[in-house]
Amino acid sequence: MAATIRLTVPAGAARPAPPVGPALGQYRLNLMAFCKDFNARTQKYKPDTPMAVTITAFKDNTFEFIVKSPSVTWYLKKAAGIESGSSRPSHVVASSITLKHVYEIAKIKQSDPYCQYMSLESISKSIIGTANSMGIKVVKDLD
Amino acid sequence: MSAPLTHFFKHLSYTLLRRRSRLLLHPPYSPLTLFLTASYKAKDPSPSSNTANAKLSSSSASCIPTKAEESFTYPSYLSVHIRCRKDVADMLSEALLCFGASSTTMDEEDTFKNSDEIFIDSIFPEGEDVNLCILHAANSIGLKEIPHYEVKMGEQYDWIKKTQESFHPVEVIEGIWVVPQWRSPPDVQATNIILNPGLAFGTGEHPTTKMCLLLLHRLIKGGELVFDYGTGSGVLAIAALKFGAALSVGIDVDPQAITSARQNAALNDIRPEKMQLHLVPGKTRPSSMDERICGIVEEQESNGMGVISETGKYDVVIANILLNPLLDLADDIVSYAKPGAVIGLSGILSDQLSYIIEQYSPFLEGISVSEIDGWACVSGRKKRNLADS
């Protein structure tokens, strides 16, 4: 029997305060060990990048966790503030983001260990593709 | 929620979005706080969205806060209990994190037998619009209805207590124990380091703390001056004194760490002049050439008082922190050591070793490495004829 805890924690900045404190404290997990471990493992990311952490807590108070930088979908949803992706992607536009958003997201993803060899341009193209498939329009400027 | 209300809700959130030309949602003031008792102080509300949200909340049964009258002096997060279908729970959890939740927790035990529903416990920052977030999250995964949920003020106290309950005495090396304040030492004759770690790191259980303690135990013969760079709970500074050092100086950028370390020193009957603690600014600039030559570096405490530490004075310098500060502050860390003194570095993973060794090779000779469970500790002696960089 286990619990699944999902958190967003800034890279290198885990502290035993909310949300880490209450979420892990609830299951008596070793907060300090988690913070130290998480901070050490996220040293390679730009400081304060929000990392997606999934923790599996076991009945004996031990735990395992996986850390990933948030998915492109996560960033796009946040940037667009949308209620839902469009159900007909190429026809109905649900919301918009700017090229600046795409660039900012691309910069973050480039520090992902698997993306470091990719150019900012190719990462951006991939992000625009994902945005389109979610029905999010990419515009040069807003308002 | 009834159909007309859902429609109104959708319209409202659309209006809210339009009002904001910035696309990253700034959470409007939470409607819940309007119903809480005086113990919860309101922050700056945006007047227009307030009334609209208030109207909504009064007609929505799922928004009524429970335990609102529990008065905590500093509530700082919201605890939300959501009920939803098992088959969408994972997606909903991830979506909630996209739209404002700080964490979501699902417990296998929380399901009703023979039910297709599960509970998600979610934490939101204070002031976040929980209503709006759940709406966005539910819509983004195609749910037709908003799941039922309850919101409470998050309790500050319990989780600190709960994690502290999990600390037990640890015999790090034979005859040397790290004991939490609220437990009795299993061996009264042993060297016992009593700790109340509070919110600072360093309980003795972590492999890095253990490796540093082993290093100190091996090095200290009596009378040494020890510098603990990034002292945390003060465990290493205290241990050094217990092993026979003459003086420990500990620095940290976290005020909580300095407070913890001071308390822990007192718990171990250590006088302030034997264990000197300084809060230093976060971005420590390496000392200038002139200051180095004079052998004195002046550091400002955050309250403006000047603090004087002497460079090139310490017999042992120990830094159990993280990879990036170890790399960025190498000059500063090494500056405190006497020529020929031992410098110990930890808080790094084994796969980060090469960066540390590369950065510190110009400064250290006789570098040796110990590893436990994927964590590493590097030590070496400061070269005697270092050219100042």
Side-chain angles (χ1 to χ4, degrees):
Chain A
M1 285 298 237
T4 305
I5 305 169
R6 287 184 174 86
L7 294 172
T8 313
V9 188
R15 285 189 43 78
V20 178
L24 274 68
Q26 188 65 30
Y27 292 91
R28 291 190 171 80
L29 304 184
N30 192 333
L31 275 189
M32 317 297 180
F34 170 76
C35 291
K36 184 89 165 175
D37 210 322
F38 171 86
N39 289 338
R41 282 178 210 289
T42 53
Q43 288 293 285
K44 56 186 163 237
Y45 291 95
K46 185 171 155 201
D48 293 332
T49 306
M51 307 300 295
V53 189
T54 306
I55 303 170
T56 307
F58 301 105
K59 275 206 124 38
D60 59 358
N61 299 337
T62 58
F63 62 93
E64 288 170 352
F65 70 93
I66 306 170
V67 183
K68 291 190 267 191
S69 73
S71 63
V72 170
T73 317
W74 187 90
Y75 280 107
L76 288 172
K77 279 186 180 175
K78 258 191 109 75
I82 53 169
E83 297 168 38
S84 65
S86 167
S87 53
R88 290 191 302 153
S90 33
H91 297 281
V92 180
V93 171
S95 190
S96 310
I97 58 172
T98 64
L99 279 178
K100 187 168 191 293
H101 284 117
V102 174
Y103 177 64
E104 294 298 330
I105 299 170
K107 278 205 297 188
I108 293 170
K109 289 317 258 178
Q110 201 182 35
S111 64
D112 250 357
Y114 312 105
C115 288
Q116 267 150 5
Y117 61 90
M118 291 171 71
S119 70
L120 226 45
E121 198 195 329
S122 53
I123 300 177
S124 298
K125 281 190 179 155
S126 157
I127 291 169
I128 292 172
T130 308
N132 287 336
S133 73
M134 286 167 71
I136 297 172
K137 195 169 157 199
V138 182
V139 299
K140 236 179 141 183
D141 274 303
L142 257 183
D143 289 330
Chain B
M1 238 190 242
S2 59
L5 202 57
T6 319
H7 177 70
F8 175 61
F9 207 31
K10 271 192 184 333
H11 174 73
L12 174 72
S13 45
Y14 179 72
T15 316
L16 283 175
L17 282 172
R18 289 284 271 190
R19 221 171 262 146
R20 289 165 171 74
S21 52
R22 290 172 141 275
L23 288 178
L24 283 171
L25 272 182
H26 286 297
Y29 190 62
S30 169
L32 278 172
T33 54
L34 297 172
F35 296 99
L36 294 176
T37 56
S39 60
Y40 181 69
K41 284 286 172 229
K43 287 201 179 144
D44 310 300
S46 68
S48 46
S49 49
N50 235 357
T51 359
N53 277 332
K55 281 200 185 120
L56 261 185
S57 302
S58 57
S59 44
S60 165
S62 53
C63 280
I64 295 170
T66 59
K67 286 195 182 179
E69 42 300 323
E70 269 187 273
S71 59
F72 294 97
T73 330
Y74 305 107
S76 63
Y77 66 97
L78 301 170
S79 178
V80 183
H81 198 59
I82 304 168
R83 194 168 85 193
C84 73
R85 281 179 8 233
K86 270 185 202 169
D87 59 349
V88 300
D90 273 318
M91 286 201 307
L92 184 61
S93 294
E94 303 228 352
L96 285 166
L97 290 171
C98 293
F99 289 108
S102 309
S103 78
T104 62
T105 302
M106 284 193 305
D107 198 327
E108 284 181 12
E109 281 194 358
D110 257 352
T111 59
F112 299 111
K113 293 266 187 293
N114 305 323
S115 158
D116 60 353
E117 289 195 313
I118 194 171
F119 283 110
I120 299 175
D121 279 310
S122 188
I123 290 172
F124 285 76
E126 186 184 37
E128 188 77 29
D129 188 332
V130 175
N131 237 347
L132 200 59
C133 167
I134 296 181
L135 172 71
H136 281 316
N139 277 332
S140 79
I141 61 172
L143 288 187
K144 293 197 171 41
E145 282 183 347
I146 311 300
H148 287 283
Y149 66 95
E150 281 176 9
V151 188
K152 304 186 266 206
M153 291 313 296
E155 298 172 347
Q156 273 283 19
Y157 184 62
D158 268 7
W159 53 270
I160 300 175
K161 209 169 184 212
K162 278 186 179 175
T163 58
Q164 290 186 335
E165 281 167 20
S166 70
F167 296 143
H168 297 279
V170 172
E171 187 171 25
V172 185
I173 313 162
E174 201 182 314
I176 297 163
W177 291 77
V178 175
V179 182
Q181 180 192 8
W182 49 87
R183 299 203 193 272
S184 26
D187 179 359
V188 195
Q189 302 295 343
T191 305
N192 292 312
I193 301 165
I194 315 293
L195 283 190
N196 180 354
L199 297 173
F201 180 77
T203 59
E205 292 173 315
H206 199 271
T208 56
T209 314
K210 180 168 181 170
M211 285 187 284
C212 291
L213 287 170
L214 282 164
L215 182 66
L216 288 173
H217 190 239
R218 190 164 53 80
L219 289 173
I220 293 177
K221 310 292 174 210
E224 287 88 348
L225 304 176
V226 176
F227 198 92
D228 186 5
Y229 199 106
T231 194
S233 64
V235 61
L236 298 179
I238 294 170
L241 289 168
K242 296 234 170 195
F243 297 153
L247 168 71
S248 279
V249 174
I251 64 170
D252 208 296
V253 298
D254 181 1
Q256 218 140 49
I258 299 297
T259 307
S260 281
R262 282 211 174 103
Q263 287 173 359
N264 286 325
L267 278 176
N268 290 276
D269 297 319
I270 293 172
R271 299 186 321 269
E273 58 268 21
K274 294 285 270 179
M275 181 159 143
Q276 297 169 9
L277 296 163
H278 303 306
L279 180 67
V280 297
K283 304 258 184 271
T284 313
R285 279 180 299 276
S287 50
S288 71
M289 259 307 222
D290 291 332
E291 289 173 320
R292 285 262 199 98
I293 289 167
C294 296
I296 296 180
V297 173
E298 194 162 49
E299 289 161 328
Q300 297 298 316
E301 274 195 7
S302 54
N303 63 7
M305 270 170 54
V307 152
I308 300 185
S309 306
E310 292 172 29
T311 54
K313 170 180 160 180
Y314 295 87
D315 301 295
V316 179
V317 175
I318 191 117
N320 185 7
I321 40 185
L322 288 166
L323 176 69
N324 290 339
L326 283 173
L327 295 177
D328 294 339
L329 300 167
D331 281 315
D332 199 48
I333 293 170
V334 171
S335 74
Y336 290 102
K338 270 182 189 164
V342 175
I343 296 174
L345 312 163
S346 194
I348 50 174
L349 296 164
S350 296
D351 59 12
Q352 296 170 337
L353 265 173
S354 55
Y355 299 111
I356 295 288
I357 293 176
E358 191 187 327
Q359 183 76 350
Y360 283 82
S361 290
F363 303 108
L364 304 180
E365 55 197 4
I367 294 180
S368 70
V369 174
S370 61
E371 294 178 59
I372 299 180
D373 282 347
W375 295 92
C377 178
V378 178
S379 62
R381 290 194 179 273
K382 179 171 177 176
K383 287 182 180 167
R384 289 188 181 270
N385 42 3
L386 269 181
D388 268 317
S389 49

